[in-house]
Amino acid sequence: MAKSRLLRLWLVLGSVFMIVLIIVYWDNVGAAQFYLRTALPRPPPALGPLPSAGPGDQQLSPAQILEKLLGGGGGGAQQPAPETPRAGWPRPQASRRPGPSNLEESVRGYDWSGHDAQQSPDPDGRQAARRSLLRESCANASLVFPAKARSFDDIPNYELNHLIVDDRHGVIYCYVPKVACTNWKRVMIVLSQSLSERGEPYRDPLAIPREYVHNSSTHLTFNKFWRRYGRFSRHLMKVKLKKYTKFLFVRDPFVRLISAFRSKFELENEDFYRKFAVPMLRKYSNHTSLPASAREAFSAGLRVSFANFIQYLLDPHTEKLAPFNEHWRQVHRLCHPCQIDYDFVGKLETLDQDAAQLLRLLKVDERLHFPPSYRNRTASSWEEGWFAKIPLAWRQQLYKLYEADFVLFGYPKPENLLRD
Ligand SMILES: *[C@@H]1O[C@H](CO)[C@@H](O)[C@H](O)[C@H]1NC(C)=O
Ligand SMILES: *[C@@H]1O[C@H](CO)[C@@H](O)[C@H](O)[C@H]1NC(C)=O
Ligand SMILES: *[C@@H]1O[C@H](CO)[C@@H](O)[C@H](O)[C@H]1NC(C)=O
Ligand SMILES: *[C@@H]1O[C@H](CO)[C@@H](O)[C@H](O)[C@H]1NC(C)=O
């Protein structure tokens, strides 16, 4: 008798324990789903573990599941970002940062003065306005530019090489050179843990050396999907485009050109000297014998002028040889904003506020801070000076060449430069 009573007691206790387990389990799943709908979309489970996934992204072991059920801070990567332990994410410390690893960064330096960002989720409805302008301009038949009307499926793979994917947080970043892209790429490396130093993923964006940041093998980009996923790659891209948070940063198109000129032709850049400066000097300045290196050319006072650069951009032969280099290619050709419905359009002109807002939107603002701006950033107020020696007809042609970027991203037509 005593035995069967004991058995019954065990049965009851066991059932209660099972019910508690189920409640705890559903609570967890429910929370995750709530998170899925309201905040960052997570990759659908059907896609399975993705190659870019870091070591933390593997399936949870039974021990980890138990730990999770019992409320331990197992912190597997399957959990939404806000639940991951924050203690492990140190705030950036100035002392841990190595010195600038590159000419460009050492010339410009960082401005550590810091700016307090606004706390509202969308200050002044700024994002809503930028996104609706994009949608309206894409739908407006009076704005015409090449390849505007094609569908996402018609974009060739090699034109998708600027879309960096982070499966850990469900983020896609379209990088635009000359628009803080080095630092946004660094943020993507930290988020996706795609790069480690002595087995430890980087946690401070500024600790990542610049040469790694711009090595394309560091990033998972859409153009690499074909080799990984074959004929499923387009479908997979579309699933991610639908579920993930997509962002890009833009800048006044003419100011971006000045910035590109400053960094690639005013500083001694051997690659750009050989590839672009030499042909420009030959073609537009009638130089026949040119030194083999930028160093020699600079000491001999031979430099491409801003006018040479504009002439190169306007020359109809230029793009017959190869598409524009990414530093001066139009943003709409790099990021396809009429085919991809961006969730966040940042601007360099409001970088500090936009960066803070975006990191909050991505729910990583507690552990990540966007590096500060450059001290000597190219400013819009310099435009008139830079364009003073450029013939009016060239300026007008140049505006036509970049008009779509002006319109799509809400930069006013620079009337002062386009009139006598
Ligand atoms: C389309 O663009 C033209 C030219 O910029 C503008 O005048 C017109 O108002 C726009 N139409 C709509 C529906 O926004
Ligand atoms: C980029 O990274 C890969 C792999 O780490 C390396 O083999 C390659 O040499 C790097 N390329 C450059 C240009 O640094
Ligand atoms: C370069 O040479 C051509 C033909 O010899 C001449 O027409 C042109 O004006 C020259 N350009 C410059 C910038 O000297
Ligand atoms: C900023 O850059 C401009 C031109 O690129 C240069 O003339 C100026 O001296 C720089 N200013 C500082 C403070 O470095």
Side-chain angles (χ1 to χ4, degrees), residues 30-70:
Q33 280 177 347
F34 177 70
Y35 179 80
L36 244 172
R37 276 195 300 272
T38 56
L40 264 190
R42 302 287 307 165
L47 300 177
L50 287 146
S52 73
D57 257 349
Q58 262 94 53
Q59 293 288 325
L60 296 184
S61 71
Q64 282 169 309
I65 291 169
L66 199 66
E67 200 179 352
K68 237 170 135 176
L69 288 180
L70 298 175

Side-chain angles (χ1 to χ4, degrees), residues 289-307:
S289 63
L290 285 160
S293 74
R295 183 168 292 270
E296 292 167 274
F298 273 52
S299 52
L302 282 171
R303 288 174 189 229
V304 170
S305 67
F306 189 56

